[in-house]
Amino acid sequence: GTVNVDETTYMFSQKVLDRANTFEFRVDSMDLTLDAKKPVPCEPGAADLVRGFLAIASDDRWQQAHSLHDLSIFTERLRQLHQLLREDGFEFGHRVFYEAIRFASMLASAGDDDAEHALDLQVMQKVLPRLHGTRRRLEATLCALGEFCFTLNPDTKFVRGPNRFDPLGKQQGDARLARSFDKVQRMLRSLVANQFTSFTE
């Protein structure tokens, strides 16, 4: 199922977020046109496609037979991300790890075998929605996460003190995980301005 979330919605529990992919839809200024129309019902999917999705959903080991080409790099980055988040108590568990691998494998089978793109989408959809709280609790984590998204360097030692990485001083286009880095910047701006932030901003 789907749920619309905005700034008036109570945030879901970690257990719910771990079982979901959270999508953020943003409207570009140029999309606001005079000929905009209300959405119309979409056509049902082709029967073969629907059966294929059902078969994948029913097979818990599907990703093992259809794994991402750079799966070892992808999983190593997930472990690095887990370690980074663990320092402040925001780490994810087995379910997120498993579903991220499954997502990356399905994305590869759909024609996108870019491990970094899959990682960017999973940081955006499964990691960032779990982060909300006060500046005191989140600022160091968001700065470290910003550095992870910007450099994607497996050897980085994330600094939490005064010399830490400043995501707001960097250009989004230079980031390795650009979509997630942009979201980290927006969450950090909100955190600085309001002393609190969440994925829903």
Side-chain angles (χ1 to χ4, degrees):
T2 62
V3 177
N4 287 336
V5 176
D6 62 27
E7 67 279 358
T8 66
T9 309
Y10 286 109
M11 222 33 224
F12 292 104
S13 72
Q14 301 292 348
K15 288 184 178 181
V16 171
L17 292 172
D18 287 352
R19 289 162 170 77
N21 277 300
T22 304
F23 295 93
E24 180 182 58
F25 295 97
R26 295 182 59 85
V27 178
D28 189 271
S29 301
M30 297 309 294
D31 292 334
L32 301 172
T33 62
L34 291 173
D35 60 348
K37 299 174 185 165
K38 285 187 174 182
V40 295
C42 33
E43 296 293 321
D48 288 348
L49 182 64
V50 173
R51 276 194 296 276
F53 280 133
L54 180 60
I56 292 169
S58 303
D59 183 359
D60 290 339
R61 296 173 173 253
W62 183 89
Q63 68 279 1
Q64 292 174 352
H66 305 84
S67 68
L68 176 71
H69 174 70
D70 291 328
L71 183 61
S72 61
I73 294 171
F74 182 79
T75 54
E76 190 52 41
R77 295 288 190 269
L78 284 176
R79 288 187 186 101
Q80 182 189 17
L81 180 59
H82 181 273
Q83 185 64 40
L84 177 161
L85 295 169
R86 187 175 181 212
E87 290 191 34
D88 297 316
F90 292 110
E91 73 273 14
F92 50 84
H94 294 285
R95 180 180 296 275
V96 170
F97 187 75
Y98 163 81
E99 290 195 0
I101 292 170
R102 198 163 158 83
F103 174 90
S105 298
M106 289 182 189
L107 189 64
S109 290
D112 185 349
D113 200 25
D114 184 341
E116 284 190 18
H117 184 225
L119 184 62
D120 194 7
L121 291 172
Q122 286 301 274
V123 170
M124 183 71 171
Q125 295 172 12
K126 295 196 83 61
V127 174
L128 289 173
R130 304 170 91 250
L131 301 180
H132 61 276
T134 64
R135 184 172 184 179
R136 186 175 189 176
R137 177 99 169 98
L138 270 184
E139 189 169 22
T141 300
L142 283 176
C143 288
L145 192 51
E147 185 173 10
F148 173 84
C149 294
F150 193 81
T151 66
L152 211 57
N153 183 347
D155 300 321
T156 299
K157 304 299 181 202
F158 300 101
V159 176
R160 287 193 156 54
N163 296 323
R164 68 183 171 213
F165 182 84
D166 177 16
L168 298 180
K170 302 293 183 184
Q171 295 293 320
Q172 178 210 349
D174 296 332
R176 297 280 294 276
L177 306 182
R179 184 177 306 209
S180 298
F181 185 73
D182 174 60
K183 184 64 175 182
V184 167
Q185 286 182 316
R186 285 186 279 129
M187 289 177 73
L188 197 51
R189 281 190 203 99
S190 174
L191 191 68
V192 170
N194 305 312
Q195 304 301 302
F196 183 89
T197 197
S198 74
F199 186 82
T200 58
E201 297 180 71

